[in-house]
């Protein structure tokens, strides 16, 4: 990313600090690039030991107010197929990075939970589920720098479960 290494502050120097003001340049909300993805993967690899195992998981919203009607049925079907059901809000940052870095397949409703895909390996399959009230290109645009195996699914007439299961068969 061509960032001068002298501008980085070691984590230990800011462990007990509170940031009161931070500036972010006004960039396209879809902005990710190969360099940005590589940067975050390299930083994560230096900070956390990267797991060697491969896991498949569903990023659940069932414990939030934004859960969709299909979730219970989908989770049941995915568990039968060996998928883990993950509630990211219960995980530390480290656990989330390690989880996404070890993923071979991620299924998730559209939302910020997919931001951690920046830590994924290029072989990961990502299935993003949209409800009909919002279909957004955010992660489709971002994930082209992470994987070529991206599949959007629109939950039209509660058909998300069948479509997702077809994609993992």
């Amino acid at each position: 990313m061509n960032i001068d290494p002298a501008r980085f502050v070691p984590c230990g120097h800011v462990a007990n600090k509170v940031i009161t003001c931070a500036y972010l340049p006004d960039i396209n909300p879809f902005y990710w690039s190969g360099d940005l993805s590589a940067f975050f993967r390299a930083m994560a690899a230096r900070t956390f030991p990267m797991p060697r195992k491969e896991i498949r998981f569903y990023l659940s919203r069932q414990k939030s107010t934004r859960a969709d009607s299909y979730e219970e049925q989908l989770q049941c079907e995915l568990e039968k197929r060996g998928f883990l059901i993950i509630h990211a809000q219960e995980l530390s940052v480290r656990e989330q990075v390690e989880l996404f870095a070890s993923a071979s397949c991620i299924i998730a409703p559209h939302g910020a939970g997919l931001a951690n895909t920046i830590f994924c390996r290029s072989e990961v399959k990502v299935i993003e589920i949209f409800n009909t009230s919002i279909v957004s290109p955010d992660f489709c645009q971002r994930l082209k720098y992470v994987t070529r195996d991206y599949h959007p699914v629109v939950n039209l007439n509660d058909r998300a479960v069948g479509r997702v299961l077809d994609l993992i068969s």
Side-chain angles (χ1 to χ4, degrees):
M1 288 184 20
N2 298 322
I3 299 173
D4 178 0
R7 296 186 67 199
F8 287 100
V9 178
C11 292
H13 294 170
V14 295
N16 296 314
K17 305 291 185 218
V18 175
I19 297 171
T20 57
C21 184
Y23 295 96
L24 179 66
D26 187 21
I27 56 175
N28 183 321
F30 306 132
Y31 178 78
W32 278 9
S33 67
D35 288 343
L36 184 72
S37 299
F39 171 79
F40 276 100
R41 280 194 293 274
M43 291 299 289
R46 274 189 262 165
T47 307
F48 310 121
M50 288 295 114
R52 299 283 179 230
K53 62 183 178 176
E54 288 190 6
I55 60 171
R56 302 180 312 163
F57 65 89
Y58 175 72
L59 196 58
S60 178
R61 280 197 185 145
Q62 194 136 31
K63 293 184 178 182
S64 78
T65 58
R66 295 179 62 200
D68 281 303
S69 59
Y70 64 81
E71 277 209 85
E72 191 171 334
Q73 180 189 0
L74 179 59
Q75 288 178 178
C76 183
E77 292 298 326
L78 291 173
E79 282 181 311
K80 290 178 192 174
R81 290 162 174 81
F83 277 74
L84 298 174
I85 306 303
I86 302 296
H87 301 273
Q89 67 270 29
E90 298 174 348
L91 303 177
S92 68
V93 171
R94 178 188 190 121
E95 290 169 325
Q96 290 181 47
V97 170
E98 290 174 353
L99 177 72
F100 280 79
S102 62
S104 62
C105 182
I106 300 167
I107 302 170
H110 170 74
L114 285 169
N116 285 323
T117 54
I118 201 160
F119 300 112
C120 290
R121 295 180 289 218
S122 60
E123 305 83 30
V124 70
K125 174 185 265 189
V126 178
I127 301 170
E128 180 180 17
I129 305 170
F130 296 95
N131 64 39
T132 54
S133 65
I134 181 169
V135 177
S136 171
D138 295 8
F139 289 102
C140 177
Q141 293 295 320
R142 292 175 181 144
L143 284 164
K144 67 184 174 186
Y145 298 105
V146 175
T147 183
R148 295 191 193 294
D149 203 356
Y150 168 79
H151 305 271
V153 171
V154 177
N155 186 30
L156 196 57
N157 300 322
D158 287 326
R159 293 190 181 148
V161 174
R163 290 180 181 168
V164 169
L165 296 177
D166 286 346
L167 287 167
I168 62 168
S169 298

